[in-house]
Amino acid sequence: MLKKFFMNALSSFVGAWIALALFGVMAVIVGIGIMAKLGASSDTPSVSGHSILRLDLNGVIEEVQQPMNLSYADFMRGDISRPQSLNVLVKGIEEGAENPDIEALYIECNGASAALATLDALRNAVLKFKESGKKVYAYGHSYTMGDYFVASVADSLFLNNAGMIEMQGITGTSIYMKDLFDKLGIRFQIAKVGTFKSAVEPVIMNEMSAPARAQLDTLYGNMWSYVRKSISDSRKRLTPKGIDSLINVRNITFQPSKDMLACGLVDKLVYAREIPQILGDLIGRDPKKLNFVSPSDLVAQTNWGNAYNSKHQVAVLYACGEIADGAGKGIDFLKLVPEITRLADDDNVKGMVLRVNSPGGSVFGSDQIGEALDYFMSKGKPLAVSMGDYAASGGYWISCCSDRIFADPLTITGSIGIFGMFPDFKGTAELIGVHPQTVSTNPSAAFPSIFQPMDTAQLAVLQQNVTRGYDRFVARVAKGRKLPESTVRRIAEGRVWDAQTAVRLKLVDKLGSLQDAVDWVSAKAKLGSNYSVAVYPKLEPSIWDFIPSDAQLAVMAMLQSNFPGQLDRRTFELACDILTRKPIQARMPEMTVTF
């Protein structure tokens, strides 16, 4: 036993020292990479005269920048890319419109992955850029529907001669799995309130219910109407009905590119090699000497989002992801609530915008966040909510009592409803020959049990608990939105709404952007234009964030070539953990103790 202990301890120490050695190697390479970057000034984007702002619609677009966290799987794939963030893209485009050194905006369409409200926020930013009088050009080898929605704003829209445009409307697929769970012997015991609260359906049904289908038909229909009209407003040869005809009759996605030119979806068919000449002609510059800058390059030259020492702060607090009970992922109320309390007590913070992009989650977590926001407002500071892709269910719970709610027209909100779902594995246990036996002092001591289905009385208790939660939800909405509870109950029932409809139902005050919400808070706080924006929670970068991308590639190439077959998963993850920890720690050495 003692020998095993020492072997495990020694193994852990060796792993730690290997990780630290890798850290040292990385530090050297990082230094070389940074020096190389400093020396290669010509490769560093600079905002000089006659520059072109390039918007790269490529990959995932997140709400806000997150700390870089290199995983073992990422390392093995050589993937060190970081998603773009919506707030930086939008702010960068706004800066480009005002910067005299920026002469035009070029949209390069490479397949952005984002929900419709995010794409609409980008589209609106591009529209405002055009209002400055500067030209917008767009090109794509092929266009996804999302790319085209944004790029349709362009003054000139270019498509590769052999390209295509995915023009197919809006669709969504839900996977229903009752038969699968039946085969596994798993049953779900459900308590819910709301005819349209369909989140539980996929585990207890094999087909979508009529109410669930009806609400999605309405939701998607309203969103598609907005998208069609937006495109037709920008592409004058297209009408909303014409767009539907291109999809339903001609199936334009699979037609030759010349047909897309003929019907007015694009302005010209060109190959990628021709784009530099086109852009050079646009701004009167040699196509070989074009200077492209990114939105992040422009934002980096401002203090936007980092004004933490300003005495006239408008705080923008992000609440993104599922609401969790201290799980550390998504919206962790254990972290968010103290942040809200601190901002409430900070005299430098004159008001706050809560940026919500959440489909909901924990009722308890939603309640704790809601109470913290009530405390913030009790300080007499204005609070506005800016809704992103989703602000539904728990996401709406934390939004509804603010002073003002702004939402993108394509935001999905509402879903005022609650459910409880408990799995019963009794059938699974029987399938594999397992027979749990329970002895209890009280009938409900093991309630709820994963190996014993609830009886009628227990299900009634669960339903009462869920109903009480629903009543509290309705009461909170009624109070926050200044509506009779009877009105809230008619539009609740777990039903999701697009923001355009939500405005009519008074669940949302106004269609608008994050900046609209910031402007409203500054005016409400009587700051005028004398305010600065600070983004919370503060980004806590790891060491990996400070390493230039070329140095990151060098590190991975070195490790993969010098430690073939030796760099096991555990050691690499330990190395990554060391590299991503906060600099100052009180921590014991890594070791495994067994008895």
Side-chain angles (χ1 to χ4, degrees):
M1 187 67 70
L2 188 62
K3 179 180 178 181
K4 185 177 180 181
F5 164 74
F6 279 115
M7 289 298 291
N8 283 326
L10 180 61
S11 173
S12 297
F13 277 121
V14 168
W17 280 109
I18 290 175
L20 289 171
L22 294 178
F23 177 82
V25 173
M26 182 174 281
V28 173
I29 296 178
V30 170
I32 294 172
I34 292 174
M35 292 299 292
K37 264 197 165 316
L38 291 174
S41 58
S42 60
D43 295 332
T44 302
S46 61
V47 187
S48 56
H50 310 292
S51 293
I52 296 175
L53 178 60
R54 174 161 51 194
L55 173 61
D56 185 9
L57 295 180
N58 179 36
V60 175
I61 299 176
E62 296 181 336
E63 266 286 342
V64 66
Q65 185 177 339
Q66 303 292 334
M68 190 168 182
N69 183 20
L70 183 66
S71 70
Y72 180 81
D74 293 334
F75 174 82
M76 297 308 293
R77 290 195 303 266
D79 182 7
I80 58 172
S81 61
R82 155 173 276 158
Q84 299 185 86
S85 57
L86 177 62
N87 61 346
V88 169
L89 291 177
V90 169
K91 187 60 182 178
I93 295 170
E94 291 175 358
E95 289 293 321
E98 298 176 2
N99 192 319
D101 291 329
I102 300 296
E103 292 205 9
L105 170 62
Y106 171 53
I107 306 175
E108 195 166 43
C109 299
N110 294 306
S113 177
L116 280 172
T118 291
L119 295 170
D120 193 44
L122 281 176
R123 191 177 194 278
N124 288 329
V126 176
L127 279 169
K128 289 183 179 179
F129 183 95
K130 284 184 65 175
E131 291 175 1
S132 69
K134 301 176 183 182
K135 292 293 185 181
V136 178
Y137 280 13
Y139 170 80
H141 295 306
S142 291
Y143 289 86
T144 63
M145 186 73 225
D147 285 354
Y148 188 80
F149 179 49
V150 177
S152 62
V153 172
D155 296 288
S156 293
L157 203 59
F158 302 97
L159 173 66
N160 189 285
N161 293 61
M164 62 186 292
I165 298 174
E166 294 180 11
M167 184 67 66
Q168 296 173 306
I170 296 174
T171 185
T173 300
S174 300
I175 306 299
Y176 280 62
M177 301 173 285
K178 179 181 181 298
D179 280 352
L180 170 63
F181 288 116
D182 284 348
K183 291 176 181 178
L184 296 174
I186 303 171
R187 296 179 58 214
F188 288 89
Q189 300 156 107
I190 306 294
K192 73 183 184 79
V193 179
T195 303
F196 296 92
K197 198 66 177 176
S198 56
V200 301
E201 284 189 3
V203 301
I204 60 174
M205 300 171 64
N206 287 321
E207 294 182 350
M208 190 177 290
S209 69
R213 185 172 294 279
Q215 73 168 337
L216 292 181
D217 280 341
T218 301
L219 178 71
Y220 293 167
N222 290 344
M223 295 172 75
W224 178 236
S225 294
Y226 177 87
V227 171
R228 283 184 317 170
K229 185 178 185 305
S230 297
I231 293 173
S232 65
D233 286 346
S234 297
R235 307 296 301 168
K236 299 303 181 182
R237 292 175 57 192
L238 298 173
T239 64
K241 288 185 178 179
I243 291 173
D244 274 340
S245 179
L246 288 174
I247 295 171
N248 301 335
V249 179
R250 297 184 59 183
N251 204 347
I252 193 68
T253 298
F254 301 100
Q255 300 306 315
S257 57
K258 62 183 179 63
D259 287 9
M260 298 173 192
L261 175 64
C263 71
L265 285 171
V266 296
D267 297 299
K268 192 174 183 179
L269 301 178
V270 301
Y271 287 103
R273 61 176 174 77
E274 300 175 72
I275 290 297
Q277 185 65 58
I278 291 171
L279 294 175
D281 292 342
L282 173 64
I283 65 172
R285 292 289 159 184
D286 185 339
K288 295 181 181 179
K289 297 181 180 179
L290 296 176
N291 186 48
F292 292 100
V293 296
S294 69
S296 60
D297 294 330
L298 294 181
V299 174
Q301 297 184 5
T302 72
N303 193 37
W304 180 85
N306 298 310
Y308 299 112
N309 296 321
S310 170
K311 294 183 178 181
H312 298 91
Q313 279 187 48
V314 173
V316 176
L317 178 64
Y318 280 83
C320 303
E322 292 190 17
I323 299 172
D325 282 345
K329 297 180 180 179
I331 304 173
D332 182 350
F333 84 88
L334 290 176
K335 295 180 179 179
L336 193 62
V337 166
E339 188 82 72
I340 296 169
T341 303
R342 190 187 63 76
L343 293 174
D345 295 335
D346 187 341
D347 291 337
N348 290 339
V349 175
K350 307 303 182 183
M352 183 168 73
V353 175
L354 180 69
R355 175 67 173 183
V356 179
N357 196 338
S358 172
S362 162
V363 172
F364 184 79
S366 301
D367 180 78
Q368 301 306 298
I369 295 168
E371 192 280 330
L373 293 169
D374 293 345
Y375 174 73
F376 182 93
M377 295 178 68
S378 74
K379 295 290 186 174
K381 300 180 180 184
L383 170 66
V385 164
S386 171
M387 294 179 169
D389 300 318
Y390 308 93
S393 202
Y396 192 75
W397 183 305
I398 66 176
S399 302
C400 64
C401 283
S402 57
D403 293 306
R404 194 81 167 169
I405 298 178
F406 294 82
D408 186 272
L410 296 175
T411 295
I412 297 174
T413 188
S415 192
I416 302 167
I418 292 178
F419 68 86
M421 182 168 65
F422 292 85
D424 168 19
F425 292 93
K426 181 180 180 181
T428 308
E430 291 174 348
L431 284 174
I432 60 176
V434 173
H435 304 281
Q437 301 294 297
T438 302
V439 178
S440 302
T441 59
N442 300 85
S444 294
F447 168 63
S449 169
I450 62 171
F451 293 118
Q452 187 64 40
M454 298 181 196
D455 58 31
T456 303
Q458 291 170 334
L459 279 171
V461 168
L462 175 60
Q463 184 63 57
Q464 289 168 8
N465 181 273
V466 169
T467 300
R468 282 195 301 272
Y470 179 70
D471 291 342
R472 291 182 61 230
F473 196 168
V474 168
R476 181 170 179 82
V477 174
K479 177 185 176 183
R481 304 306 302 157
K482 298 179 175 58
L483 294 171
E485 283 197 20
S486 57
T487 299
V488 175
R489 289 184 184 276
R490 283 198 300 271
I491 59 179
E493 292 286 331
R495 181 159 188 165
V496 293
W497 303 99
D498 62 280
Q500 300 168 88
T501 304
V503 170
R504 295 197 297 270
L505 298 175
K506 298 184 179 180
L507 293 175
V508 169
D509 292 300
K510 190 175 180 62
L511 299 178
S513 66
L514 172 61
Q515 187 59 50
D516 291 329
V518 170
D519 291 342
W520 184 89
V521 168
S522 68
K524 189 74 172 176
K526 298 181 180 179
L527 298 175
S529 59
N530 183 31
Y531 71 90
S532 300
V533 173
V535 171
Y536 298 91
K538 291 182 182 179
L539 179 65
E540 297 182 353
S542 67
I543 292 175
W544 194 260
D545 287 288
F546 295 103
I547 304 173
S549 58
D550 51 358
Q552 293 176 20
L553 288 170
V555 170
M556 289 194 289
M558 182 277 298
L559 292 178
Q560 289 174 334
S561 62
N562 288 283
F563 296 94
Q566 302 174 44
L567 195 61
D568 64 276
R569 181 179 186 128
R570 182 178 179 279
T571 301
F572 178 78
E573 289 179 342
L574 179 59
C576 284
D577 182 46
I578 290 173
L579 292 171
T580 54
R581 290 174 188 164
K582 294 181 180 179
I584 302 174
Q585 298 213 353
R587 186 186 182 102
M588 67 176 285
E590 296 284 345
M591 65 177 66
T592 302
V593 180
T594 59
F595 294 92

PDB file of all heavy atoms in Angstrom, residues 189-216:
ATOM      1  N   GLN A 189     -40.745  11.547 -15.182  1.00  0.00           N
ATOM      2  CA  GLN A 189     -41.911  12.008 -14.439  1.00  0.00           C
ATOM      3  C   GLN A 189     -41.918  13.532 -14.507  1.00  0.00           C
ATOM      4  O   GLN A 189     -40.941  14.180 -14.113  1.00  0.00           O
ATOM      5  CB  GLN A 189     -41.835  11.512 -13.001  1.00  0.00           C
ATOM      6  CG  GLN A 189     -41.807   9.973 -12.959  1.00  0.00           C
ATOM      7  CD  GLN A 189     -41.168   9.429 -11.702  1.00  0.00           C
ATOM      8  OE1 GLN A 189     -41.851   8.909 -10.824  1.00  0.00           O
ATOM      9  NE2 GLN A 189     -39.866   9.548 -11.595  1.00  0.00           N
ATOM     10  N   ILE A 190     -43.003  14.063 -15.029  1.00  0.00           N
ATOM     11  CA  ILE A 190     -43.039  15.474 -15.415  1.00  0.00           C
ATOM     12  C   ILE A 190     -44.107  16.224 -14.629  1.00  0.00           C
ATOM     13  O   ILE A 190     -45.220  15.727 -14.408  1.00  0.00           O
ATOM     14  CB  ILE A 190     -43.362  15.624 -16.922  1.00  0.00           C
ATOM     15  CG1 ILE A 190     -42.386  14.798 -17.772  1.00  0.00           C
ATOM     16  CG2 ILE A 190     -43.375  17.088 -17.335  1.00  0.00           C
ATOM     17  CD1 ILE A 190     -40.961  15.257 -17.719  1.00  0.00           C
ATOM     18  N   ALA A 191     -43.736  17.431 -14.226  1.00  0.00           N
ATOM     19  CA  ALA A 191     -44.723  18.388 -13.722  1.00  0.00           C
ATOM     20  C   ALA A 191     -44.427  19.706 -14.421  1.00  0.00           C
ATOM     21  O   ALA A 191     -43.275  20.147 -14.465  1.00  0.00           O
ATOM     22  CB  ALA A 191     -44.609  18.553 -12.207  1.00  0.00           C
ATOM     23  N   LYS A 192     -45.445  20.330 -15.002  1.00  0.00           N
ATOM     24  CA  LYS A 192     -45.202  21.576 -15.713  1.00  0.00           C
ATOM     25  C   LYS A 192     -46.442  22.450 -15.678  1.00  0.00           C
ATOM     26  O   LYS A 192     -47.540  21.991 -15.372  1.00  0.00           O
ATOM     27  CB  LYS A 192     -44.796  21.309 -17.168  1.00  0.00           C
ATOM     28  CG  LYS A 192     -45.898  20.826 -18.108  1.00  0.00           C
ATOM     29  CD  LYS A 192     -45.325  20.540 -19.482  1.00  0.00           C
ATOM     30  CE  LYS A 192     -46.437  20.150 -20.475  1.00  0.00           C
ATOM     31  NZ  LYS A 192     -47.166  21.330 -20.966  1.00  0.00           N
ATOM     32  N   VAL A 193     -46.222  23.733 -15.988  1.00  0.00           N
ATOM     33  CA  VAL A 193     -47.321  24.674 -16.135  1.00  0.00           C
ATOM     34  C   VAL A 193     -47.119  25.398 -17.453  1.00  0.00           C
ATOM     35  O   VAL A 193     -46.042  25.952 -17.698  1.00  0.00           O
ATOM     36  CB  VAL A 193     -47.375  25.692 -14.981  1.00  0.00           C
ATOM     37  CG1 VAL A 193     -48.528  26.659 -15.192  1.00  0.00           C
ATOM     38  CG2 VAL A 193     -47.520  24.992 -13.641  1.00  0.00           C
ATOM     39  N   GLY A 194     -48.116  25.403 -18.296  1.00  0.00           N
ATOM     40  CA  GLY A 194     -48.027  26.087 -19.580  1.00  0.00           C
ATOM     41  C   GLY A 194     -48.285  25.142 -20.732  1.00  0.00           C
ATOM     42  O   GLY A 194     -47.541  24.178 -20.935  1.00  0.00           O
ATOM     43  N   THR A 195     -49.345  25.425 -21.471  1.00  0.00           N
ATOM     44  CA  THR A 195     -49.698  24.589 -22.615  1.00  0.00           C
ATOM     45  C   THR A 195     -48.569  24.510 -23.629  1.00  0.00           C
ATOM     46  O   THR A 195     -48.358  23.483 -24.273  1.00  0.00           O
ATOM     47  CB  THR A 195     -50.958  25.164 -23.306  1.00  0.00           C
ATOM     48  OG1 THR A 195     -52.017  25.245 -22.351  1.00  0.00           O
ATOM     49  CG2 THR A 195     -51.395  24.298 -24.477  1.00  0.00           C
ATOM     50  N   PHE A 196     -47.827  25.614 -23.766  1.00  0.00           N
ATOM     51  CA  PHE A 196     -46.775  25.681 -24.778  1.00  0.00           C
ATOM     52  C   PHE A 196     -45.384  25.357 -24.218  1.00  0.00           C
ATOM     53  O   PHE A 196     -44.399  25.494 -24.932  1.00  0.00           O
ATOM     54  CB  PHE A 196     -46.752  27.079 -25.402  1.00  0.00           C
ATOM     55  CG  PHE A 196     -48.015  27.423 -26.149  1.00  0.00           C
ATOM     56  CD1 PHE A 196     -49.058  28.084 -25.507  1.00  0.00           C
ATOM     57  CD2 PHE A 196     -48.175  27.084 -27.482  1.00  0.00           C
ATOM     58  CE1 PHE A 196     -50.226  28.408 -26.179  1.00  0.00           C
ATOM     59  CE2 PHE A 196     -49.339  27.396 -28.165  1.00  0.00           C
ATOM     60  CZ  PHE A 196     -50.370  28.059 -27.518  1.00  0.00           C
ATOM     61  N   LYS A 197     -45.307  24.983 -22.951  1.00  0.00           N
ATOM     62  CA  LYS A 197     -44.011  24.681 -22.347  1.00  0.00           C
ATOM     63  C   LYS A 197     -43.572  23.309 -22.836  1.00  0.00           C
ATOM     64  O   LYS A 197     -43.757  22.278 -22.171  1.00  0.00           O
ATOM     65  CB  LYS A 197     -44.109  24.714 -20.819  1.00  0.00           C
ATOM     66  CG  LYS A 197     -42.742  24.856 -20.141  1.00  0.00           C
ATOM     67  CD  LYS A 197     -42.116  26.207 -20.438  1.00  0.00           C
ATOM     68  CE  LYS A 197     -40.796  26.393 -19.724  1.00  0.00           C
ATOM     69  NZ  LYS A 197     -40.142  27.662 -20.077  1.00  0.00           N
ATOM     70  N   SER A 198     -42.977  23.289 -24.022  1.00  0.00           N
ATOM     71  CA  SER A 198     -42.736  22.030 -24.729  1.00  0.00           C
ATOM     72  C   SER A 198     -41.325  21.487 -24.558  1.00  0.00           C
ATOM     73  O   SER A 198     -40.953  20.523 -25.230  1.00  0.00           O
ATOM     74  CB  SER A 198     -43.018  22.222 -26.223  1.00  0.00           C
ATOM     75  OG  SER A 198     -42.249  23.290 -26.743  1.00  0.00           O
ATOM     76  N   ALA A 199     -40.518  22.072 -23.680  1.00  0.00           N
ATOM     77  CA  ALA A 199     -39.140  21.610 -23.511  1.00  0.00           C
ATOM     78  C   ALA A 199     -39.064  20.155 -23.062  1.00  0.00           C
ATOM     79  O   ALA A 199     -38.053  19.478 -23.293  1.00  0.00           O
ATOM     80  CB  ALA A 199     -38.403  22.510 -22.513  1.00  0.00           C
ATOM     81  N   VAL A 200     -40.129  19.662 -22.402  1.00  0.00           N
ATOM     82  CA  VAL A 200     -40.110  18.280 -21.902  1.00  0.00           C
ATOM     83  C   VAL A 200     -40.573  17.280 -22.952  1.00  0.00           C
ATOM     84  O   VAL A 200     -40.413  16.070 -22.765  1.00  0.00           O
ATOM     85  CB  VAL A 200     -41.003  18.148 -20.638  1.00  0.00           C
ATOM     86  CG1 VAL A 200     -40.523  19.073 -19.537  1.00  0.00           C
ATOM     87  CG2 VAL A 200     -42.477  18.434 -20.966  1.00  0.00           C
ATOM     88  N   GLU A 201     -41.153  17.764 -24.032  1.00  0.00           N
ATOM     89  CA  GLU A 201     -41.759  16.854 -25.007  1.00  0.00           C
ATOM     90  C   GLU A 201     -40.800  15.817 -25.596  1.00  0.00           C
ATOM     91  O   GLU A 201     -41.174  14.646 -25.742  1.00  0.00           O
ATOM     92  CB  GLU A 201     -42.391  17.661 -26.150  1.00  0.00           C
ATOM     93  CG  GLU A 201     -43.703  18.314 -25.780  1.00  0.00           C
ATOM     94  CD  GLU A 201     -44.400  18.905 -26.989  1.00  0.00           C
ATOM     95  OE1 GLU A 201     -43.900  18.758 -28.129  1.00  0.00           O
ATOM     96  OE2 GLU A 201     -45.462  19.509 -26.796  1.00  0.00           O
ATOM     97  N   PRO A 202     -39.572  16.195 -25.977  1.00  0.00           N
ATOM     98  CA  PRO A 202     -38.703  15.222 -26.657  1.00  0.00           C
ATOM     99  C   PRO A 202     -38.411  13.958 -25.869  1.00  0.00           C
ATOM    100  O   PRO A 202     -38.045  12.937 -26.464  1.00  0.00           O
ATOM    101  CB  PRO A 202     -37.421  16.023 -26.904  1.00  0.00           C
ATOM    102  CG  PRO A 202     -37.880  17.434 -27.007  1.00  0.00           C
ATOM    103  CD  PRO A 202     -38.973  17.537 -25.988  1.00  0.00           C
ATOM    104  N   VAL A 203     -38.567  13.961 -24.537  1.00  0.00           N
ATOM    105  CA  VAL A 203     -38.251  12.765 -23.761  1.00  0.00           C
ATOM    106  C   VAL A 203     -39.492  11.950 -23.418  1.00  0.00           C
ATOM    107  O   VAL A 203     -39.375  10.810 -22.958  1.00  0.00           O
ATOM    108  CB  VAL A 203     -37.492  13.113 -22.465  1.00  0.00           C
ATOM    109  CG1 VAL A 203     -36.186  13.839 -22.779  1.00  0.00           C
ATOM    110  CG2 VAL A 203     -38.338  13.939 -21.513  1.00  0.00           C
ATOM    111  N   ILE A 204     -40.681  12.500 -23.650  1.00  0.00           N
ATOM    112  CA  ILE A 204     -41.900  11.766 -23.299  1.00  0.00           C
ATOM    113  C   ILE A 204     -42.811  11.546 -24.501  1.00  0.00           C
ATOM    114  O   ILE A 204     -43.870  10.924 -24.376  1.00  0.00           O
ATOM    115  CB  ILE A 204     -42.693  12.493 -22.191  1.00  0.00           C
ATOM    116  CG1 ILE A 204     -43.104  13.895 -22.636  1.00  0.00           C
ATOM    117  CG2 ILE A 204     -41.883  12.543 -20.902  1.00  0.00           C
ATOM    118  CD1 ILE A 204     -44.022  14.609 -21.651  1.00  0.00           C
ATOM    119  N   MET A 205     -42.405  12.050 -25.677  1.00  0.00           N
ATOM    120  CA  MET A 205     -43.226  11.910 -26.879  1.00  0.00           C
ATOM    121  C   MET A 205     -42.331  11.580 -28.063  1.00  0.00           C
ATOM    122  O   MET A 205     -41.125  11.795 -28.042  1.00  0.00           O
ATOM    123  CB  MET A 205     -44.006  13.209 -27.152  1.00  0.00           C
ATOM    124  CG  MET A 205     -44.960  13.627 -26.038  1.00  0.00           C
ATOM    125  SD  MET A 205     -45.671  15.286 -26.264  1.00  0.00           S
ATOM    126  CE  MET A 205     -46.609  15.040 -27.773  1.00  0.00           C
ATOM    127  N   ASN A 206     -42.966  11.062 -29.102  1.00  0.00           N
ATOM    128  CA  ASN A 206     -42.254  10.782 -30.343  1.00  0.00           C
ATOM    129  C   ASN A 206     -42.596  11.777 -31.448  1.00  0.00           C
ATOM    130  O   ASN A 206     -41.945  11.789 -32.500  1.00  0.00           O
ATOM    131  CB  ASN A 206     -42.561   9.360 -30.837  1.00  0.00           C
ATOM    132  CG  ASN A 206     -41.872   8.307 -29.993  1.00  0.00           C
ATOM    133  OD1 ASN A 206     -40.731   8.477 -29.576  1.00  0.00           O
ATOM    134  ND2 ASN A 206     -42.579   7.208 -29.728  1.00  0.00           N
ATOM    135  N   GLU A 207     -43.606  12.596 -31.216  1.00  0.00           N
ATOM    136  CA  GLU A 207     -44.013  13.596 -32.195  1.00  0.00           C
ATOM    137  C   GLU A 207     -44.290  14.917 -31.492  1.00  0.00           C
ATOM    138  O   GLU A 207     -44.699  14.938 -30.323  1.00  0.00           O
ATOM    139  CB  GLU A 207     -45.273  13.145 -32.949  1.00  0.00           C
ATOM    140  CG  GLU A 207     -45.077  11.932 -33.833  1.00  0.00           C
ATOM    141  CD  GLU A 207     -46.345  11.579 -34.588  1.00  0.00           C
ATOM    142  OE1 GLU A 207     -47.410  12.164 -34.264  1.00  0.00           O
ATOM    143  OE2 GLU A 207     -46.281  10.735 -35.499  1.00  0.00           O
ATOM    144  N   MET A 208     -44.091  15.986 -32.218  1.00  0.00           N
ATOM    145  CA  MET A 208     -44.339  17.316 -31.688  1.00  0.00           C
ATOM    146  C   MET A 208     -45.830  17.515 -31.462  1.00  0.00           C
ATOM    147  O   MET A 208     -46.653  17.146 -32.308  1.00  0.00           O
ATOM    148  CB  MET A 208     -43.801  18.361 -32.681  1.00  0.00           C
ATOM    149  CG  MET A 208     -43.774  19.783 -32.174  1.00  0.00           C
ATOM    150  SD  MET A 208     -43.044  20.919 -33.401  1.00  0.00           S
ATOM    151  CE  MET A 208     -41.334  20.406 -33.358  1.00  0.00           C
ATOM    152  N   SER A 209     -46.180  18.108 -30.327  1.00  0.00           N
ATOM    153  CA  SER A 209     -47.586  18.373 -30.035  1.00  0.00           C
ATOM    154  C   SER A 209     -48.104  19.503 -30.920  1.00  0.00           C
ATOM    155  O   SER A 209     -47.340  20.305 -31.457  1.00  0.00           O
ATOM    156  CB  SER A 209     -47.762  18.758 -28.568  1.00  0.00           C
ATOM    157  OG  SER A 209     -47.191  20.031 -28.312  1.00  0.00           O
ATOM    158  N   ALA A 210     -49.423  19.573 -31.062  1.00  0.00           N
ATOM    159  CA  ALA A 210     -50.037  20.625 -31.878  1.00  0.00           C
ATOM    160  C   ALA A 210     -49.704  22.029 -31.360  1.00  0.00           C
ATOM    161  O   ALA A 210     -49.363  22.917 -32.145  1.00  0.00           O
ATOM    162  CB  ALA A 210     -51.547  20.411 -31.952  1.00  0.00           C
ATOM    163  N   PRO A 211     -49.774  22.284 -30.028  1.00  0.00           N
ATOM    164  CA  PRO A 211     -49.410  23.614 -29.537  1.00  0.00           C
ATOM    165  C   PRO A 211     -47.945  23.962 -29.810  1.00  0.00           C
ATOM    166  O   PRO A 211     -47.625  25.102 -30.161  1.00  0.00           O
ATOM    167  CB  PRO A 211     -49.682  23.526 -28.029  1.00  0.00           C
ATOM    168  CG  PRO A 211     -50.712  22.462 -27.889  1.00  0.00           C
ATOM    169  CD  PRO A 211     -50.361  21.455 -28.945  1.00  0.00           C
ATOM    170  N   ALA A 212     -47.054  22.981 -29.642  1.00  0.00           N
ATOM    171  CA  ALA A 212     -45.632  23.239 -29.884  1.00  0.00           C
ATOM    172  C   ALA A 212     -45.391  23.597 -31.344  1.00  0.00           C
ATOM    173  O   ALA A 212     -44.658  24.538 -31.665  1.00  0.00           O
ATOM    174  CB  ALA A 212     -44.793  22.026 -29.495  1.00  0.00           C
ATOM    175  N   ARG A 213     -46.020  22.857 -32.242  1.00  0.00           N
ATOM    176  CA  ARG A 213     -45.859  23.139 -33.669  1.00  0.00           C
ATOM    177  C   ARG A 213     -46.472  24.488 -34.030  1.00  0.00           C
ATOM    178  O   ARG A 213     -45.899  25.251 -34.821  1.00  0.00           O
ATOM    179  CB  ARG A 213     -46.486  22.019 -34.509  1.00  0.00           C
ATOM    180  CG  ARG A 213     -46.255  22.164 -36.003  1.00  0.00           C
ATOM    181  CD  ARG A 213     -46.730  20.928 -36.745  1.00  0.00           C
ATOM    182  NE  ARG A 213     -45.933  19.756 -36.418  1.00  0.00           N
ATOM    183  CZ  ARG A 213     -44.750  19.485 -36.962  1.00  0.00           C
ATOM    184  NH1 ARG A 213     -44.220  20.322 -37.851  1.00  0.00           N
ATOM    185  NH2 ARG A 213     -44.099  18.387 -36.630  1.00  0.00           N
ATOM    186  N   ALA A 214     -47.610  24.804 -33.437  1.00  0.00           N
ATOM    187  CA  ALA A 214     -48.284  26.069 -33.749  1.00  0.00           C
ATOM    188  C   ALA A 214     -47.436  27.271 -33.345  1.00  0.00           C
ATOM    189  O   ALA A 214     -47.321  28.245 -34.095  1.00  0.00           O
ATOM    190  CB  ALA A 214     -49.641  26.119 -33.048  1.00  0.00           C
ATOM    191  N   GLN A 215     -46.830  27.194 -32.164  1.00  0.00           N
ATOM    192  CA  GLN A 215     -46.030  28.349 -31.723  1.00  0.00           C
ATOM    193  C   GLN A 215     -44.788  28.518 -32.579  1.00  0.00           C
ATOM    194  O   GLN A 215     -44.364  29.642 -32.871  1.00  0.00           O
ATOM    195  CB  GLN A 215     -45.669  28.244 -30.246  1.00  0.00           C
ATOM    196  CG  GLN A 215     -44.631  27.231 -29.873  1.00  0.00           C
ATOM    197  CD  GLN A 215     -44.135  27.405 -28.432  1.00  0.00           C
ATOM    198  OE1 GLN A 215     -44.232  28.482 -27.857  1.00  0.00           O
ATOM    199  NE2 GLN A 215     -43.627  26.327 -27.860  1.00  0.00           N
ATOM    200  N   LEU A 216     -44.178  27.412 -33.030  1.00  0.00           N
ATOM    201  CA  LEU A 216     -43.000  27.513 -33.879  1.00  0.00           C
ATOM    202  C   LEU A 216     -43.363  27.997 -35.277  1.00  0.00           C
ATOM    203  O   LEU A 216     -42.609  28.761 -35.898  1.00  0.00           O
ATOM    204  CB  LEU A 216     -42.268  26.176 -33.950  1.00  0.00           C
ATOM    205  CG  LEU A 216     -41.607  25.711 -32.650  1.00  0.00           C
ATOM    206  CD1 LEU A 216     -40.883  24.388 -32.859  1.00  0.00           C
ATOM    207  CD2 LEU A 216     -40.640  26.761 -32.123  1.00  0.00           C
TER     208      LEU A 216
END
